[in-house]
Amino acid sequence: MNVVVLLKQTFDTEEKIVIENGAVSEDGVKFVINPYDEYAVEEALRIKEQDGSTVTLLSVGPARTTEALRTALAMGADEAVLIEDARIPQDEHAIATVLAAYLKQQSYDLILGGNFSVDNGGAQVAVRLSELLGIPHASSITKLTLQGGTASVERDAEGDLELLDVTLPALFTAQQGLNEPRYPSLPGIMKSKKKPLRTLTLDDVGLTPDQLEARTERTSLSLPPSRQAGQILSGDIPQQAAKLVELLRTQSKVI
Amino acid sequence: MSRTFLIIAEHRDGKLRQVTLEALQAASLAAKDGDSLAAVLLGSDLDGLAGELAAYALSDVHVIETDSLKQYNPESYVDALAPFIDSIRPDGVFLGHTALGRDLAPALAAKLSAGQLSDVTAIEQSGEEVVFTRPLYAGKAIEKKIFRAYPWVVTIRPNNIPAAGSAGGGQAAGIVKHDYSPSKPLRTVIRDVVRKMSGKVDLTEAKVIVSGGRGVKSGDGFKPLEELAELLGGAVGASRGACDAGYCDYSLQIGQTGKVVTPEIYIACGISGAIQHLAGMNGSRIIIAINKDPDAPIFQIADYGIVGDLFEVVPLLTQEFRKALA
């Protein structure tokens, strides 16, 4: 099988956000594979170990994304494709269109991605892609079993589990709990340096910028109002518990 | 030009979800005089729900009723909604940012070649524009966005926009029934739905959350937290540390990975307050921290803090709440 993993590079979740000149500053920031995409990579590698599938990583992003792609190659993926072009707007409609244009020229049986990216949190691109390719999808899966041409998946629906059988080719997005991603091994890191990583432009996927008009536009960016430390209660624990409930009633009036 | 906004109504256990009424309010915040709002319900046995929705300020309540839509199926829902949406041509589609909304909205947006703004927390009109506020990095930053073209697709974060009130005494909305049969053989079959959440409050919609971190020490350690949550009609959450340690299911995780929550009261028990956790609960109205370590970062953002062992504090707190609520 050909398994494609959609991957985005994001800020490490322990990073603080600094806004400079109306944009989020990337100075000194540690970048990682979007944590949900990491589950997708791991799941693809487990499939590869079972049936010898080829795992291709696919990303739309800036040049720094090659770092995240190399890491996923070191985990065991076979090859990577980065579509890097400043003419692609930061808009989910545009990015899904680019991915679809590339994949329409490829053969694939299974596409895996993350449930959402921890930066924009739009949770759109992967599902949009499935619709543009005309293949079924299920988002937020915590289990995937392949048999013949069918994928049986468990989808996390706010704590309930939806059990679906989906005919391949299909697209799924990974939720926490799907698996425990591996760390790249040292031999894996050595091998990854020789694995193919191609960088493509819009022209290579046969698109022009006028086909990618952004549907949305940002008008402002700010930090949330910062919270002040409140009061640490005192006295023995039973007194503090009583005091807290009283404060919730009289001061913050939430009960 | 008058516009039509469509709300895709969600229901669970025979009841309209709160977030649907919030989406309805969101659509009315985006609307100007002369615009109209409509809602659509999918599923089976919908007469009661349709009647309930008709009491709100809607021009029409559309009902697509058939057994095959009883359970959410990504493929059949898109298959049923696409021709319907083609027929009424809404200028905006509003859904909750829920398990269903997150799965369905981008598929509809792609079908309509439309822009989508996800997880919207506020809507305001500014001159000719409708401005949507949404979090980035799970709330570490906030952006405002506008659409450049119609139609719009918008998903609303639960618990942030007040729910619409019913129109009260006015003209009830018309109920319009639509048929659906699959336009093609479906490649997605729902085998089963395991209801683990029956009767429980969903984290993203909970008004009170009692959350545990590594300090709960084990799965059993969540019991006092569950008791308190139940008393307050709330839900139990967890930090990444507690989930990674295997004390609880990942579906409880709150943070930049996991769920972002905005309850009225958030009670953090044995949670130190890593940046990635704070991102997921910073928007709570009142934060209470219980931790043995007086230097835990969680105290820096908590409205009230108790330095102490959660296994001593939480049961006492439950007792006090019980007295106060009696």
Side-chain angles (χ1 to χ4, degrees):
Chain A
M1 284 204 320
N2 290 318
V3 182
V4 175
V5 180
L6 308 173
L7 187 149
K8 184 180 189 182
Q9 189 191 39
T10 57
F11 279 34
D12 188 289
T13 54
E14 285 303 312
E15 291 291 344
K16 286 196 172 133
I17 301 301
V18 176
I19 296 176
E20 248 173 32
N21 305 323
V24 173
S25 166
E26 296 192 354
D27 275 0
V29 163
K30 184 187 171 201
F31 284 96
V32 296
I33 300 173
N34 176 44
Y36 290 93
D37 301 352
E38 216 175 353
Y39 299 116
V41 173
E42 176 63 34
E43 199 62 20
L45 296 179
R46 291 182 187 199
I47 294 165
K48 172 187 161 80
E49 282 160 2
Q50 276 177 11
D51 70 2
S53 288
T54 302
V55 176
T56 304
L57 310 166
L58 175 60
S59 188
V60 172
R64 59 170 161 72
T65 309
T66 49
E67 240 177 90
L69 292 170
R70 283 285 173 214
T71 305
L73 289 171
M75 288 168 75
D78 297 293
E79 53 180 23
V81 175
L82 171 62
I83 305 170
E84 184 214 339
D85 199 314
R87 296 172 295 173
I88 303 172
Q90 282 303 307
D91 177 88
E92 291 88 349
H93 158 75
I95 292 169
T97 304
V98 172
L99 292 169
Y102 173 76
L103 283 172
K104 277 177 184 165
Q105 301 161 6
Q106 311 296 318
S107 98
Y108 53 82
D109 303 287
L110 178 64
I111 303 175
L112 298 172
N115 186 16
F116 62 89
S117 64
V118 297
D119 48 9
N120 279 338
Q124 293 186 36
V125 170
V127 174
R128 279 179 180 267
L129 174 63
S130 71
E131 200 58 43
L132 296 178
L133 294 174
I135 60 172
H137 81 273
S139 64
S140 192
I141 63 162
T142 52
K143 192 171 180 190
L144 169 64
T145 315
L146 295 170
Q147 189 151 43
T150 301
S152 297
V153 300
E154 296 185 5
R155 186 175 113 80
D156 165 44
E158 282 144 8
D160 286 343
L161 272 187
E162 297 174 0
L163 281 55
L164 293 81
D165 289 338
V166 186
T167 309
L168 299 182
L171 179 147
F172 303 107
T173 70
Q175 168 68 313
Q176 264 179 319
L178 178 62
N179 53 46
E180 192 58 51
R182 69 195 67 191
Y183 290 100
S185 66
L186 195 56
I189 293 169
M190 300 308 290
K191 273 193 229 160
S192 74
K193 292 176 182 160
K194 292 193 193 116
K195 288 180 176 172
L197 192 164
R198 284 188 298 146
T199 303
L200 305 179
T201 65
L202 273 190
D203 310 300
D204 296 324
V205 296
L207 284 173
T208 54
D210 58 318
Q211 292 169 285
L212 299 177
E213 243 173 274
R215 298 292 194 258
T216 61
E217 182 183 328
R218 180 187 286 169
T219 56
S220 82
L221 177 69
S222 61
L223 294 177
S226 62
R227 288 189 89 103
Q228 304 297 320
Q231 53 186 123
I232 302 286
L233 304 180
S234 56
D236 64 24
I237 298 289
Q239 282 170 348
Q240 290 191 44
K243 180 78 185 162
L244 175 60
V245 174
E246 186 198 318
L247 285 169
L248 289 175
R249 192 198 273 278
T250 57
Q251 195 177 65
S252 18
K253 301 189 165 61
V254 283
I255 57 166
Chain B
M1 183 198 86
S2 76
R3 302 169 299 182
T4 302
F5 295 142
L6 176 71
I7 295 98
I8 299 182
E10 228 186 294
H11 47 98
R12 190 171 186 149
D13 304 328
K15 287 192 199 116
L16 282 178
R17 284 189 67 168
Q18 172 83 4
V19 70
T20 292
L21 302 179
E22 295 167 2
L24 176 52
Q25 179 68 10
S28 64
L29 289 172
K32 288 184 158 56
D33 280 352
D35 291 343
S36 64
L37 309 185
V40 60
L41 273 165
L42 295 91
S44 60
D45 301 325
L46 297 172
D47 285 350
L49 289 174
E52 206 182 307
L53 259 183
Y56 289 86
L58 292 161
S59 59
D60 295 293
V61 175
H62 298 274
V63 178
I64 309 178
E65 198 169 23
T66 167
D67 277 348
S68 66
L69 297 174
K70 189 168 181 180
Q71 293 299 343
Y72 175 66
N73 175 328
E75 202 179 1
S76 62
Y77 268 52
V78 172
D79 192 44
L81 280 167
F84 162 71
I85 285 177
D86 260 353
S87 73
I88 70 159
R89 299 203 166 275
D91 301 284
V93 179
F94 289 73
L95 306 84
H97 196 69
T98 58
L100 183 149
R102 282 196 303 271
D103 195 81
L104 178 60
L108 290 176
K111 203 118 205 149
L112 297 168
S113 208
Q116 178 184 330
L117 292 175
S118 307
D119 211 11
V120 166
T121 55
I123 295 176
E124 66 201 310
Q125 300 202 17
S126 167
E128 285 301 298
E129 300 288 358
V130 180
V131 182
F132 298 82
T133 303
R134 62 179 304 274
L136 290 172
Y137 304 89
K140 290 178 186 171
I142 294 166
E143 65 172 350
K144 292 193 175 189
K145 290 191 103 171
I146 56 173
F147 284 100
R148 282 184 171 176
Y150 291 105
W152 311 336
V153 175
V154 181
T155 66
I156 302 298
R157 172 181 290 192
N159 257 359
N160 280 263
I161 294 169
S166 60
Q171 186 83 41
I175 295 175
V176 188
K177 298 215 174 192
H178 301 260
D179 291 326
Y180 165 67
S181 55
S183 66
K184 57 185 180 187
L186 294 183
R187 291 161 290 177
T188 309
V189 177
I190 306 296
R191 217 167 357 105
D192 199 4
V193 178
V194 184
R195 294 250 173 244
K196 299 204 289 187
M197 288 296 291
S198 265
K200 289 196 198 165
V201 183
D202 178 60
L203 263 183
T204 57
E205 289 187 304
K207 299 290 177 207
V208 178
I209 293 176
V210 186
S211 200
R214 280 197 185 272
V216 299
K217 293 199 186 99
S218 69
D220 281 347
F222 270 99
K223 286 211 174 110
L225 279 57
E226 281 160 11
E227 250 172 69
L228 178 55
E230 200 187 328
L231 175 71
L232 299 175
V236 170
S239 73
R240 180 175 190 164
C243 296
D244 281 347
Y247 303 160
C248 63
D249 198 83
Y250 277 113
S251 61
L252 300 189
Q253 185 171 320
I254 291 165
Q256 197 171 356
T257 47
K259 297 192 167 75
V260 176
V261 296
T262 45
E264 289 284 299
I265 308 178
Y266 189 89
I267 308 178
C269 310
I271 292 178
S272 63
I275 289 173
Q276 88 102 11
H277 183 75
L278 301 186
M281 44 68 83
N282 220 340
S284 306
R285 190 164 152 228
I286 297 290
I287 296 173
I288 298 163
I290 300 165
N291 204 296
K292 276 199 285 201
D293 175 8
D295 297 323
I298 189 85
F299 288 120
Q300 293 307 311
I301 62 144
D303 299 281
Y304 303 110
I306 294 181
V307 179
D309 181 356
L310 73 94
F311 293 107
E312 186 186 354
V313 178
V314 174
L316 283 168
L317 209 48
T318 307
Q319 235 176 59
E320 291 297 332
F321 273 115
R322 193 167 279 133
K323 273 193 247 166
L325 298 173

